Amino acid sequence: MRILGIESSCDETAAAVVEDGRRVLSSVIASQVEEHKLYGGVVPEIASRRHSEAIVGVTRQALDEAGISLSGIDAIAVTYAPGLIGALLVGVNFAKGLALSSGLPLVPVHHLRSHIAANYITNPELEPPFLCLVVSGGHTHIIQVEDYTKLRILGCTRDDAAGEAFDKAARAMGMPYPGGVHLDKVAQDGNPEAFRFPRPSVDGAPLDFSFSGLKTSVINLIHNASQKGQTLPVPDLAASFRKAVVGCLVHNFTEAARQTGSKKLVIAGGVSANSLLRSELERVCAENGWKFYRPALNLCGDNAAMVGAQGYYEYLAGSRAGMDLNACAEMPVDQG
Ligand code: KG4
Ligand code: ZN
């Protein structure tokens, strides 16, 4: 079964053709990042306009690269939540038009579920149940994936998402948007013991996260130094900050594994590209005899192949949208 996936939740316009939820026949991404970089973050109005301009060409290219026309597609899957509302609406309305004109079924896909599904593409043997740490620019969740479409949230962030914390810290260190990937790179040459940052935990909720204090602490350190005319060594700052964030993520994730008895640990979302997070979890899982799965680097960030993958399982579970499908800026992953 071939699914055309469409993604426009943030600043990438993407379309892909995926067979049986696992095999990517094509995957096209038009990134707007260079334009948003000028403003230090995503400008929602610009994002919506660029999606409108790009979506037809990107979809056509995805079909061309898969070597099929719309008649070779069995269903259209589209990201409908959560994300920037104006951006989501472009993909949703385009997919509705395409479904109406072609007569193909329309399948709504939750953005975080699709991030998890990126793992089905990279790891053909991976099947639920498993425990998943979803870490993106907007979300940080520990999720029990009981089945492809049955999920339970065990923990989440009380304030900033991990990606947001990385981006804001990177910005304070003078790195361009989105800073997470730059911070990760610069941290390779730094001393992770140079600065001591707090490892916040949430009282009475050991699987929840809080990153805003950690973020403020690095920003204050940089500002205080600059007020005294000092500059701090950026690689050391980056390495110490990365160690603190990854420390929190790994600590709560392994705690969740112990509490649930899960032996299959999976990571997903933009921050799952972080090199320290990947190596630390690799080590911890090996020590405990747990299996560790992560998406290929090119599937960690936003793309439509993961929408096609999750769309397949949502389709099998009977999920269909009508012409009244709306986009939602927020939607819990266990209800999507
Ligand atoms: O999943 P994603 O592409 O978009 C959302 O759904 O939010 O995640 C983007 C986030 C950004 O905050 C970006 O800085 C972060 O993922 N990111 C990283 C790395 N690569 C991307 N954070 C830390 N280390 C990385 N290597
Ligand atoms: Zn995302």
Side-chain angles (χ1 to χ4, degrees):
M1 178 175 188
R2 286 172 180 162
I3 306 242
L4 172 66
I6 293 170
E7 153 66 34
S8 71
S9 67
C10 191
D11 58 350
E12 335 274 355
T13 318
V17 178
V18 180
E19 199 166 59
D20 297 334
R22 302 270 174 169
R23 208 162 78 82
V24 180
L25 302 186
S26 67
S27 178
V28 179
I29 304 174
S31 176
Q32 309 169 2
V33 73
E34 288 305 319
E35 192 166 359
H36 296 296
K37 208 180 253 180
L38 299 173
Y39 307 97
V42 178
V43 182
E45 171 70 18
I46 294 177
S48 309
R49 285 173 187 273
R50 296 297 168 261
H51 286 310
S52 299
E53 289 162 6
I55 200 151
V56 173
V58 163
T59 305
R60 193 165 279 153
Q61 193 183 335
L63 289 169
D64 286 349
E65 287 184 11
I68 52 173
S69 64
L70 214 47
S71 59
I73 295 291
D74 300 294
I76 298 166
V78 64
T79 310
Y80 79 105
L84 299 172
I85 192 68
L88 285 165
L89 277 167
V90 175
V92 165
N93 283 310
F94 176 73
K96 278 159 74 170
L98 212 52
L100 186 66
S101 60
S102 63
L104 288 170
L106 181 62
V107 181
V109 174
H110 189 286
H111 185 59
L112 297 189
R113 290 188 184 202
S114 68
H115 269 303
I116 297 170
N119 280 285
Y120 303 140
I121 298 168
T122 304
N123 310 289
E125 74 284 13
L126 176 65
E127 285 177 5
F130 56 79
L131 194 64
C132 190
L133 174 70
V134 182
V135 267
S136 72
H139 297 85
T140 305
H141 281 5
I142 296 175
I143 299 172
Q144 179 81 54
V145 180
E146 291 169 356
D147 204 343
Y148 292 101
T149 58
K150 197 164 166 246
L151 299 89
R152 204 154 52 86
I153 301 172
L154 304 183
C156 63
T157 181
R158 296 293 182 100
D159 40 56
D160 292 351
E164 195 180 346
F166 270 123
D167 291 345
K168 288 184 177 157
R171 189 177 177 167
M173 292 175 207
M175 296 170 196
Y177 173 84
V181 65
H182 300 287
L183 191 151
D184 190 17
K185 219 169 272 165
V186 170
Q188 312 287 22
D189 304 320
N191 172 12
E193 310 303 331
F195 297 95
R196 283 223 155 269
F197 290 118
R199 299 283 178 88
S201 57
V202 181
D203 267 354
L207 304 186
D208 281 356
F209 302 95
S210 168
F211 291 112
S212 86
L214 182 51
K215 171 200 70 185
T216 308
S217 138
V218 71
I219 292 173
N220 286 347
L221 190 71
I222 294 167
H223 285 176
N224 288 343
S226 86
Q227 277 166 357
K228 289 185 210 146
Q230 299 167 346
T231 47
L232 299 173
V234 170
D236 289 352
L237 274 175
S240 304
F241 183 79
R242 181 178 70 164
K243 187 178 176 205
V245 174
V246 168
C248 295
L249 293 171
V250 171
H251 178 272
N252 291 16
F253 195 31
T254 51
E255 175 61 26
R258 292 205 176 94
Q259 281 187 17
T260 57
S262 302
K263 292 190 168 37
K264 261 194 269 181
L265 274 68
V266 178
I267 54 173
V271 182
S272 68
N274 187 270
S275 55
L276 184 66
L277 180 64
R278 291 165 91 96
S279 61
E280 278 298 284
L281 282 173
E282 193 114 49
R283 182 182 62 75
V284 169
C285 288
E287 276 171 18
N288 287 281
W290 300 332
K291 286 208 154 207
F292 175 52
Y293 298 91
R294 67 259 187 293
L297 284 176
N298 66 341
L299 290 170
C300 290
D302 292 343
N303 65 86
M306 66 188 194
V307 180
Q310 182 62 20
Y312 173 71
Y313 293 104
E314 299 285 349
Y315 179 91
L316 293 185
S319 175
R320 304 285 185 277
M323 286 301 123
D324 56 350
L325 175 67
N326 207 347
C328 305
E330 288 180 32
M331 171 69 65
V333 68
D334 50 354
Q335 289 167 34

